[in-house]
């Protein structure tokens, strides 16, 4: 695992505190979306399709800080849109560092080289670089040539200057396991602290409805990618989440684990679906009908969803909620995640979910 | 006619119409601006993004106003889908197809040059 000890300690003590208080619906990562404006227009993205006057709006520094305090999650992920387009982003990051929040600033890296000096290297700040594969695959996914090379250059500079850097990859239907493994080699060579992975989700608003992965295909793809991982690969995930992706185990979604705040308010129920907004985080937690979401609910919008923002919090909660979860995490951390040989037809998660 | 075809740019619904509530849901989902007429004759032009169940009000970002406006749903007379639906348009497949064609063209040129 690539996560520093201080971050692990903060997260572990936070979770234990929540569990001791008997709080079932606790947030782990706040998804703070300060703007929807982006300097790319990726076909799989459902986040940027808004009228011009909405794309011009953004959360102020004060709004960001009050959302962070209201939510209380120890980790703040800042997706978008492209956060580096926000004029107050350095101040927002500084405010979060002062509050000792671990920040994942998600960026396509187009502006990173130019704006890097506006941010101080810190154990609290990680640049999480959107990289959807090797050059050809990435440029195709982001619908613009030359972006992979710019991102690689920015990563190399950021790593050299002492920033924490991770890659952040969404894999779509047709992703090639061999090429993905080569891509991991490239990221390892660049010296990223860890790699983040998620299967794509079929947003009802995304223009590309066909290229998202149904569940069984997702398990098969991730088994091929993650079977016999190389020593040099480091993932910024719980080993149990990787086992979930590869179908070794099943987890239900815990959408409250990654609550989303943006210019519309607190988004119900998760980062992906938009089933209304509340003015306060408390209202989000108390009024959302959580039982209507996740695979178990039979909600068709959740049927094939395996995204990171819905399921990693479940894996982490499982670690601290049971002895078997704790032991499995220790085993996975030391020996690596348990990934079944792709040639084996049995996918345990499918059997477990069907129970 | 599919829902997305029905609730597209140019569609208008009045409060007394039978499918008003269904149309309101579609309006909240619509990724373009709407124009909302209310009882006192005022007209709001902007992005309708939420129905606040507690306050029974539609929440709108008016085009030229930085703050959110809440319109009690009982005051609404008419809603029109006036703005372009920003969610329909360029697809990833179209991009992939274009890239494929470009690659084929480059390959064909390379073969020509070799011959
Ligand atoms: S499974 Fe969870 S994250 Fe996925 S769409 Fe449903 S609620 Fe959202």
């Amino acid at each position: 695992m690539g996560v520093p000890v201080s971050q692990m300690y903060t997260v572990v003590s936070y979770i234990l505190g929540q569990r001791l208080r008997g709080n079932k619906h606790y947030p782990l990562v706040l998804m703070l979306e300060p703007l929807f404006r982006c300097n790319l227009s990726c076909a799989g993205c459902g986040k940027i399709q808004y009228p011009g006057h909405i794309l011009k709006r953004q959360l102020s520094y004060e709004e960001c800080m009050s959302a962070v305090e209201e939510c209380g999650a120890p980790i703040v992920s800042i997706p978008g849109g492209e956060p580096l387009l926000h004029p107050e982003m350095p101040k927002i990051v500084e405010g979060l560092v002062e509050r000792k929040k671990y920040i994942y600033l998600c960026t396509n890296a187009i502006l990173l080289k130019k704006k890097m000096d506006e941010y101080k290297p810190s154990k609290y700040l990680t640049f999480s670089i959107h990289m959807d594969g090797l050059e050809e695959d990435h440029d195709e996914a982001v619908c613009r040539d030359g972006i992979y090379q710019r991102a690689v250059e920015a990563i190399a500079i950021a790593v050299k200057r002492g920033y924490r850097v991770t890659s952040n990859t969404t894999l779509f239907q047709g992703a090639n396991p061999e090429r993905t493994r080569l891509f991991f080699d490239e990221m390892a060579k660049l010296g990223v602290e860890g790699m983040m992975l998620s299967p794509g989700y079929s947003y009802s608003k995304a223009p590309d409805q066909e290229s998202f992965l149904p569940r069984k295909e997702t398990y098969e793809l991730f088994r091929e990618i993650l079977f016999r991982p190389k020593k040099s690969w480091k993932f910024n995930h719980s080993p149990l989440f990787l086992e979930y992706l590869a179908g070794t185990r099943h987890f239900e979604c815990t959408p409250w684990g990654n609550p989303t705040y943006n210019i519309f308010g607190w988004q119900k129920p998760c980062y992906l679906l938009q089933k209304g907004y509340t003015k306060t985080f408390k209202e989000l937690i108390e009024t959302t009908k959580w039982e209507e979401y996740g695979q178990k609910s039979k909600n068709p919008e959740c049927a094939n969803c395996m995204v990171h923002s819905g399921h990693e919090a479940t894996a982490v909660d499982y670690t601290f909620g049971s002895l078997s979860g704790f032991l499995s995490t220790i085993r996975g951390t030391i020996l690596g995640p348990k990934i079944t040989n792709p040639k084996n037809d049995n996918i345990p998660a499918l059997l477990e979910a069907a129970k | 006619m599919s829902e997305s075809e029905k609730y597209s740019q140019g569609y208008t619904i009045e409060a007394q119409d039978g499918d008003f509530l269904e149309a309101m849901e579609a309006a909240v989902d619509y990724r373009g601006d709407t124009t909302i007429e209310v009882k006192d004759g005022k007209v709001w032009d902007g992005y309708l993004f939420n129905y606040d169940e507690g306050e029974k009000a539609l929440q709108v970002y008016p085009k030229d106003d930085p703050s959110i406006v809440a319109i009690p749903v009982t005051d609404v007379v008419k809603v029109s889908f006036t703005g372009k639906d920003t969610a329909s348009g360029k697809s990833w497949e179209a991009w992939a197809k274009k890239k494929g064609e470009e690659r084929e063209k480059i390959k064909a040129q390379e073969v020509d040059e070799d011959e």
Side-chain angles (χ1 to χ4, degrees):
Chain A
M1 288 218 290
V3 178
V5 175
S6 63
Q7 184 172 331
M8 279 194 261
Y9 176 78
T10 303
V11 171
V12 170
S13 39
Y14 168 80
I15 294 174
L16 292 177
Q18 295 294 329
R19 291 195 75 91
L20 278 175
R21 264 174 259 142
N23 188 3
K24 193 173 164 239
H25 294 128
Y26 65 85
L28 187 59
V29 181
L30 166 63
M31 308 297 283
L32 182 65
E33 291 182 310
L35 77 178
F36 294 120
R37 202 157 65 243
C38 192
N39 44 7
L40 283 176
S41 179
C42 311
C45 175
K47 289 280 173 186
I48 55 167
Q49 285 86 16
Y50 289 105
H53 67 100
I54 293 296
L55 296 177
K56 281 188 199 135
R57 290 171 205 261
Q58 58 208 17
L59 293 175
S60 65
Y61 167 81
E62 289 75 20
E63 286 168 324
C64 290
M65 294 310 118
S66 79
V68 165
E69 276 161 20
E70 208 187 332
C71 173
I75 301 174
V76 179
S77 176
I78 310 181
E82 169 54 49
L84 296 187
L85 290 174
H86 194 303
E88 285 191 299
M89 193 44 63
K91 191 176 165 196
I92 292 170
V93 167
E94 223 171 274
L96 296 178
V97 170
E98 274 165 24
R99 285 163 180 77
K100 297 192 170 25
K101 299 293 176 187
Y102 285 90
I103 309 149
Y104 285 86
L105 184 56
C106 307
T107 172
N108 56 36
I110 292 177
L111 293 171
L112 185 56
K113 189 177 156 193
K114 191 171 153 201
K115 300 213 168 192
M116 202 179 292
D117 289 337
E118 296 173 14
Y119 302 87
K120 278 195 213 106
S122 158
K123 68 172 181 178
Y124 291 109
L125 172 64
T126 302
F127 289 119
S128 176
I129 316 289
H130 173 199
M131 293 295 260
D132 281 347
L134 290 170
E135 182 164 5
E136 201 178 288
D137 307 311
H138 181 66
D139 286 352
E140 192 153 303
V142 302
C143 302
R144 200 193 297 175
D145 289 339
I147 301 303
Y148 178 89
Q149 282 305 340
R150 280 176 86 160
V152 162
E153 188 195 358
I155 291 174
I157 297 171
V159 168
K160 201 168 161 206
R161 292 203 195 159
Y163 293 95
R164 291 181 62 191
V165 182
T166 60
S167 58
N168 190 345
T169 304
T170 306
L171 291 170
F172 296 90
Q173 196 171 33
N176 178 317
E178 272 316 304
R179 288 180 64 77
T180 307
R181 290 175 70 94
L182 289 174
F183 164 71
F184 291 167
D185 292 343
E186 290 305 310
M187 291 302 105
K189 264 189 239 158
L190 273 171
V192 297
E193 176 189 293
M195 299 183 282
M196 295 167 100
L197 290 178
S198 182
Y201 172 76
S202 174
Y203 281 77
S204 56
K205 295 293 183 302
D208 171 29
Q209 294 296 303
E210 301 303 317
S211 66
F212 295 90
L213 297 162
R215 194 169 283 264
K216 184 167 178 275
E217 283 173 37
T218 306
Y219 292 137
E220 286 165 353
L221 173 68
F222 280 93
R223 282 206 309 195
E224 289 201 44
I225 292 172
L226 297 171
F227 185 60
R228 298 207 176 119
K230 303 239 182 99
K231 283 239 161 58
S232 60
W233 301 351
K234 289 191 192 103
F235 293 99
N236 208 286
H237 291 295
S238 144
L240 303 191
F241 177 69
L242 297 175
E243 292 182 3
Y244 163 74
L245 288 181
T248 312
R249 60 175 71 244
H250 173 71
F251 285 131
E252 277 298 323
C253 176
T254 46
W256 56 84
N258 286 44
T260 300
Y261 184 74
N262 57 38
I263 59 164
F264 302 131
W266 292 95
Q267 185 168 301
K268 283 182 176 186
C270 67
Y271 180 62
L272 305 163
L273 303 179
Q274 292 166 291
K275 303 296 174 191
Y277 292 87
T278 64
K279 291 192 188 80
T280 65
F281 176 69
K282 189 168 179 280
E283 201 187 335
L284 171 83
I285 294 295
E286 289 174 359
T287 65
T288 305
K289 293 177 181 134
W290 300 112
E291 67 284 1
E292 291 179 2
Y293 302 100
Q295 204 194 346
K296 207 165 62 182
S297 70
K298 306 264 187 272
N299 181 334
E301 287 176 290
C302 298
N304 283 317
C305 174
M306 291 179 60
V307 299
H308 165 252
S309 59
H311 299 85
E312 175 129 35
T314 321
V316 175
D317 187 65
Y318 176 61
T319 297
F320 298 102
S322 67
L323 183 63
S324 64
F326 187 69
L327 293 177
S328 302
T329 305
I330 295 195
R331 191 247 320 124
T333 306
I334 297 169
L335 303 174
K338 232 191 231 172
I339 310 290
T340 324
N341 190 325
K343 289 194 183 109
N344 185 335
D345 285 339
N346 256 344
I347 299 180
L350 286 176
L351 302 171
E352 203 181 317
K355 271 181 209 163
Chain B
M1 194 195 280
S2 74
E3 268 211 5
S4 60
E5 279 167 343
K6 183 177 171 188
Y7 300 119
S8 55
Q9 193 174 14
Y11 181 82
T12 295
I13 183 101
E14 296 194 9
Q16 70 268 20
D17 292 344
D19 49 356
F20 182 69
L21 288 179
E22 184 195 294
M24 280 303 91
E25 268 181 42
V28 169
D29 267 357
Y30 186 63
R31 286 286 185 96
D33 283 329
T34 53
T35 303
I36 303 170
E37 256 183 69
V38 293
K39 276 180 186 159
D40 65 2
K42 197 163 172 38
V43 175
W44 295 99
D45 196 11
Y47 187 69
L48 164 59
F49 64 91
N50 191 30
Y51 171 62
D52 184 331
E53 284 176 39
E55 291 183 19
K56 308 244 174 299
L58 299 175
Q59 288 184 303
V60 177
Y61 264 122
K63 262 185 187 168
D64 309 312
D65 196 326
S67 35
I68 296 168
V69 169
I71 306 169
V73 78
T74 48
D75 287 357
V76 175
V77 174
K78 193 161 97 178
V79 177
S80 307
F81 292 51
T82 39
K84 185 174 168 277
D85 182 358
T86 58
S88 72
K90 283 191 298 171
S91 76
W92 181 85
E93 281 151 325
W95 164 262
K97 190 165 168 260
K98 187 177 145 236
K99 293 303 296 172
E101 283 166 4
E102 278 173 17
R103 269 184 232 118
E104 288 305 315
K105 222 168 152 186
I106 292 168
K107 259 192 225 158
Q109 269 171 2
E110 281 169 0
V111 171
D112 277 353
E113 282 160 14
D114 288 350
E115 277 167 0

